[in-house]
Amino acid sequence: MTGSIPFTTIRDEGGVNFSDIAVKKAIDNKLIKGPRMFVSGPALTSIGGHGDSHFSPQILNASLGIVVNGADEARNATRLNLKYGADQIKLFATGGVMSFGDEPGAAELTFDEMKAALEIANLKGRISSAHAHGAEGIKNAIKAGVTSIEHGMLIDEEAMEMMVEHGVYLIPTIIAAERIIKFGKKGALPKWMAEKAEECLKNHGKHIKRMIDMGVKIGFGSDAGCAFDNHGDQGFEFELMTRYGFSPAGALLSATKVNSELLKLQNQIGTIQPGKLADIVGFDKNPLEDISVMTECSFVMKDGEVYKS
């Protein structure tokens, strides 16, 4: 935990070759210092889907996730992730912005594939998440039993209503698209990537405001690791959230109380109370008055141990 990162607990939404699980174990065994990690292992994707490799077929094992075809393979991949230490299961329900050759609005994993994967996760009492931009993929993931929707930028009214009905969380990850658009305009990223990001972000603010009014449970997440969305800079998402409809207090609650409930860790973290883990971060200014201070963390305590002061 270095620099300005104000996070004592993080979710990793897809670790290539189980790298996230390895880092978590190193932290837990005090080999390195870092936040409490909630990890997923490699995400489940489809042939040609978001996260799959588009290299020559002679180049093997280049996919960012586990490619599944059909319900049985989805079950097997889920069991494999849980076997090696995943805390949750991550699905690629739709196309994405940074993947070549697919569309963010298009559904990719089928309902049956996601249902099979989430059946195993839910039997084990594990939470789950779905990368999903398009409305059809979002609805399929909700019906399949997912815990959270990551991004949700091309959602429709019916899917919003389903999120309320089923208690599904939204993680809006505004910064991921904002960075791609910003650096795409500078020529640092391909034109097709920036265009897809612009299409996704175009109505995201309107959708977020609507979901806030509807009572959708909205957590905090940054999709850090995407292009120019660097680890250590995630605090900028707080400022973006206030631009897109959140009050400063609402943005802070999303990253604390709401996220602890998403992780089913509300009895341990998320608020400062007797009996909970002593996780405290501090700032030299009041974030309720200036939310940009969230990029300037000056004090970090995790489970009673001070890491930065």
Side-chain angles (χ1 to χ4, degrees):
M1 275 177 287
T2 60
S4 60
I5 304 175
F7 303 105
T8 56
T9 302
I10 64 169
R11 291 184 313 156
D12 188 280
E13 289 294 294
V16 179
N17 297 323
F18 302 98
S19 55
D20 54 343
I21 295 173
V23 173
K24 174 184 177 173
K25 288 181 177 179
I27 294 171
D28 291 347
N29 288 306
K30 300 189 182 302
L31 299 175
I32 59 174
K33 293 182 178 180
R36 187 178 300 106
M37 291 185 66
F38 206 87
V39 296
S40 58
L44 276 60
T45 188
S46 56
I47 288 181
H50 186 61
D52 190 16
S53 166
H54 285 80
F55 294 140
S56 168
Q58 285 75 32
I59 300 175
L60 304 177
N61 301 317
S63 173
L64 298 179
I66 301 176
V67 176
V68 300
N69 291 283
D72 286 342
E73 289 189 8
R75 289 189 188 95
N76 291 343
T78 300
R79 289 186 172 115
L80 185 70
N81 275 339
L82 296 177
K83 172 184 176 179
Y84 287 110
D87 301 300
Q88 68 165 22
I89 295 301
K90 169 71 178 292
L91 308 171
F92 285 133
T94 74
V97 169
M98 292 186 65
S99 47
F100 178 78
D102 65 5
E103 292 300 325
E108 292 188 340
L109 283 176
T110 67
F111 165 77
D112 288 339
E113 288 167 335
M114 290 192 284
K115 179 67 175 176
L118 297 181
E119 176 187 13
I120 301 303
N122 292 334
L123 282 173
K124 300 283 190 179
R126 306 300 175 85
I127 68 168
S128 53
S129 61
H131 159 100
H133 285 293
E136 181 181 356
I138 292 171
K139 294 171 196 175
N140 286 341
I142 293 171
K143 288 187 287 186
V146 80
T147 305
S148 69
I149 298 294
E150 312 298 310
H151 319 307
M153 295 184 180
L154 301 175
I155 196 169
D156 64 14
E157 185 75 12
E158 181 185 14
M160 295 181 199
E161 293 171 355
M162 290 175 65
M163 293 190 75
V164 175
E165 178 184 354
H166 293 271
V168 174
Y169 293 80
L170 172 74
I171 311 299
T173 64
I174 306 163
I175 189 173
E178 188 271 347
R179 298 283 91 174
I180 291 171
I181 294 168
K182 178 178 179 179
F183 286 91
K185 290 179 178 178
K186 295 180 178 180
L189 293 169
K191 182 180 178 181
W192 59 262
M193 191 182 296
E195 288 175 346
K196 288 204 286 185
E198 285 188 288
E199 182 63 26
C200 285
L201 198 58
K202 182 169 60 176
N203 293 312
H204 199 33
K206 179 178 70 175
H207 294 157
I208 288 172
K209 291 173 185 176
R210 174 66 178 143
M211 284 186 276
I212 291 172
D213 291 340
M214 293 173 70
V216 174
K217 296 184 286 190
I218 305 179
F220 180 98
S222 63
D223 212 18
C226 288
F228 298 100
D229 181 7
N230 301 320
H231 289 283
D233 296 336
Q234 301 100 310
F236 182 53
E237 176 75 2
F238 287 103
E239 184 174 339
L240 289 173
M241 290 177 81
T242 63
R243 296 182 194 176
Y244 278 66
F246 284 84
S247 66
L252 294 173
L253 284 170
S254 75
T256 51
K257 185 175 185 295
V258 176
N259 273 6
S260 72
E261 293 165 352
L262 186 161
L263 297 174
K264 297 183 180 181
L265 295 176
Q266 63 269 30
N267 293 328
Q268 301 178 57
I269 61 174
T271 56
I272 299 175
Q273 292 177 267
K276 290 192 175 183
L277 301 178
D279 285 11
I280 301 171
V281 294
F283 305 86
D284 294 331
K285 298 178 183 177
N286 185 350
L288 297 176
E289 297 173 356
D290 180 7
I291 196 67
S292 68
V293 75
M294 295 303 292
T295 62
E296 302 170 8
C297 183
S298 58
F299 176 85
V300 177
M301 174 187 287
K302 186 189 84 169
D303 198 12
E305 180 178 353
V306 176
Y307 286 81
K308 181 179 181 179
S309 64

